[in-house]
Amino acid sequence: MNERGYIGTYTKGKSEGIYSFILDTERKVLTDLRCAAKLDNPTYVAIDKKNAKLYSVVKDGARGGVAAYAIDEAGALQLLGESVREGSSPCYVSVNQEGGRILDGNYHEGTASSYVPDSALGLRHQAGVQHEGSSAHRERQEGPHVHFADFTPDGRFAVTVDLGTDTLITYRVMEREWQENSTLVFKPGTGPRHLIFHPKAPYAYVMTELSNEVIALHFDLQSGTFTAIQTVNALPADFNGHSQGAAIKISADGRFVYVSNRGHNSIATFQVDEGSGRLALIEHTDTLGDWPRDIEIDPSGCFLIAANQNSGDVVLFERDPVNGTLTDLNAKLYVPDAVCVKFFGGR
């Protein structure tokens, strides 16, 4: 079986934009790498549930925003339109279940925005919110840095994770404004980066960049509020070098959480306790490259890909669905400044 995926990149070096590839699940190899769209700094992408459209963050000179692409049967991308504004480009983009609303998170501007598809423009900016504040780390938390903006599983709330202010905020996204619903404040200097929801239970998990930890949360679906229940170190206890937390993903059955550590250059695998949502470390796996910016589980659940930004490669691992462990398959593709990986049929 062949599964199609896309890779977002930085274009400051040899990369030209968004790349597509094929995961051959029978031969257990990555093949057919090609540039699917040429654009500046498409560092994060999202694919709608119908596999019909791909959304990417984009840089256009001194402006930044989101680009929308149609995906044809062969996986090629056709630009539908862009919505860009003055200022830095976003670092995160997401699309809701119905594909009718798109969100972005902007690290440099400290903002989050919503968009809607537009038949004439391809994509139209709808509303946004500006974060304020700072936290304990003088260099990295001098102001707000929204690193994540996505929807709750039922689509009723938008969730932002702000590395600069150590906050997780839920909003009701209206047509012309974002209305704040609740705020969870983390320990100063934590630097929360990305969040993933449990697919079957009322839990969520946050990967922190500055403290390199995973924070387990209880999520109240009705009120849209979060409560912290556990914090675990994503690094080995004896590691004393520099490392930054990056991506966080969860298996489709909700039994295992995976996070990437940039610097230690590893994937930490955790088992989820079904009753409490708490995590227990299983293993650390070398990503066989430098600076694993992202990881992604394929739709079959049998494979995991690590995107190593600094070494410019994506590496394939086989995933044991029973015990969650990862095995290197000696299969990789060279992709300069790889940042993000998404699959058709992914979550």
Side-chain angles (χ1 to χ4, degrees):
M1 178 179 176
N2 290 335
E3 296 180 348
R4 184 173 299 279
Y6 293 88
I7 303 167
T9 69
Y10 276 112
T11 54
K12 57 189 177 183
K14 295 181 179 180
S15 174
E16 296 183 299
I18 300 171
Y19 290 81
S20 66
F21 68 95
I22 294 294
L23 165 58
D24 185 327
T25 59
E26 292 185 1
R27 296 169 54 212
K28 301 181 181 181
V29 294
L30 301 173
T31 66
D32 197 30
L33 180 70
R34 61 183 67 185
C35 184
K38 294 185 178 182
L39 69 164
D40 285 344
N41 284 357
T43 55
Y44 212 86
V45 301
I47 302 172
D48 71 4
K49 298 302 178 183
K50 297 179 181 179
N51 296 328
K53 293 181 181 179
L54 179 146
Y55 299 95
S56 172
V57 304
V58 62
K59 180 180 182 294
D60 181 10
R63 302 185 299 167
V66 175
Y69 290 87
I71 307 173
D72 68 18
E73 293 183 357
L77 301 179
Q78 179 180 355
L79 181 66
L80 297 173
E82 299 178 351
S83 179
V84 295
R85 302 180 304 283
E86 292 296 320
S88 300
S89 58
C91 66
Y92 194 93
V93 63
S94 60
V95 57
N96 68 351
Q97 292 280 349
E98 295 76 23
R101 184 168 286 182
I102 299 92
L103 302 181
D104 78 23
N106 195 309
Y107 178 91
H108 294 287
E109 304 291 333
T111 62
S113 295
S114 58
Y115 306 78
V116 291
D118 186 286
S119 58
L121 303 174
L123 198 65
R124 176 168 53 86
H125 181 263
Q126 191 176 43
V129 63
Q130 174 69 61
H131 283 195
E132 303 290 343
S134 59
S135 195
H137 195 291
R138 292 182 179 180
E139 295 180 359
R140 297 295 309 281
Q141 296 182 310
E142 81 296 343
H145 294 301
V146 178
H147 218 309
F148 171 95
D150 210 334
F151 295 93
T152 56
D154 64 357
R156 293 175 57 229
F157 302 98
V159 182
T160 64
V161 175
D162 194 316
L163 184 150
T165 61
D166 286 320
T167 56
L168 185 164
I169 306 176
T170 58
Y171 295 90
R172 296 182 184 274
V173 179
M174 317 302 287
E175 184 174 352
R176 296 186 178 182
E177 65 176 344
W178 288 45
Q179 295 181 351
E180 185 172 332
N181 178 72
S182 67
T183 299
L184 175 64
V185 180
F186 298 107
K187 181 180 177 181
T190 297
R193 178 182 171 93
H194 280 185
L195 175 147
I196 194 78
F197 283 96
H198 193 288
K200 299 179 180 181
Y203 306 117
Y205 301 90
V206 168
M207 182 60 176
T208 72
E209 180 168 329
L210 302 183
S211 64
N212 230 136
E213 297 170 316
V214 186
I215 302 174
L217 309 170
H218 179 269
F219 174 61
D220 188 307
L221 189 65
Q222 294 304 312
S223 66
T225 59
F226 293 84
T227 305
I229 56 179
Q230 182 195 27
T231 300
V232 294
N233 191 354
L235 297 168
D238 59 354
F239 178 75
N240 297 315
H242 174 72
S243 191
Q244 298 177 8
I248 182 166
K249 301 296 165 69
I250 190 168
S251 59
D253 57 10
R255 297 179 58 229
F256 301 98
V257 167
Y258 300 86
V259 301
S260 63
N261 299 306
R262 297 174 295 177
H264 187 249
N265 294 336
S266 67
I267 300 166
T269 302
F270 296 90
Q271 186 164 12
V272 180
D273 180 78
E274 183 177 348
S276 67
R278 294 171 67 89
L279 302 176
L281 179 67
I282 295 176
E283 66 176 2
H284 287 93
T285 304
D286 192 325
T287 63
L288 306 175
D290 184 21
W291 214 247
R293 184 69 175 258
D294 196 21
I295 54 175
E296 187 63 284
I297 301 170
D298 82 305
S300 76
C302 295
F303 301 91
L304 182 145
I305 286 182
N308 294 305
Q309 180 184 343
N310 289 352
S311 53
D313 50 49
V314 292
V315 181
L316 182 65
F317 297 88
E318 190 165 20
R319 192 184 81 90
D320 189 320
V322 176
N323 60 31
T325 56
L326 302 175
T327 302
D328 168 39
L329 291 171
N330 194 30
K332 67 168 61 177
L333 292 172
Y334 171 71
V335 184
D337 291 303
V339 176
C340 170
V341 180
K342 294 293 180 185
F343 280 101
F344 270 8
R347 290 173 289 111

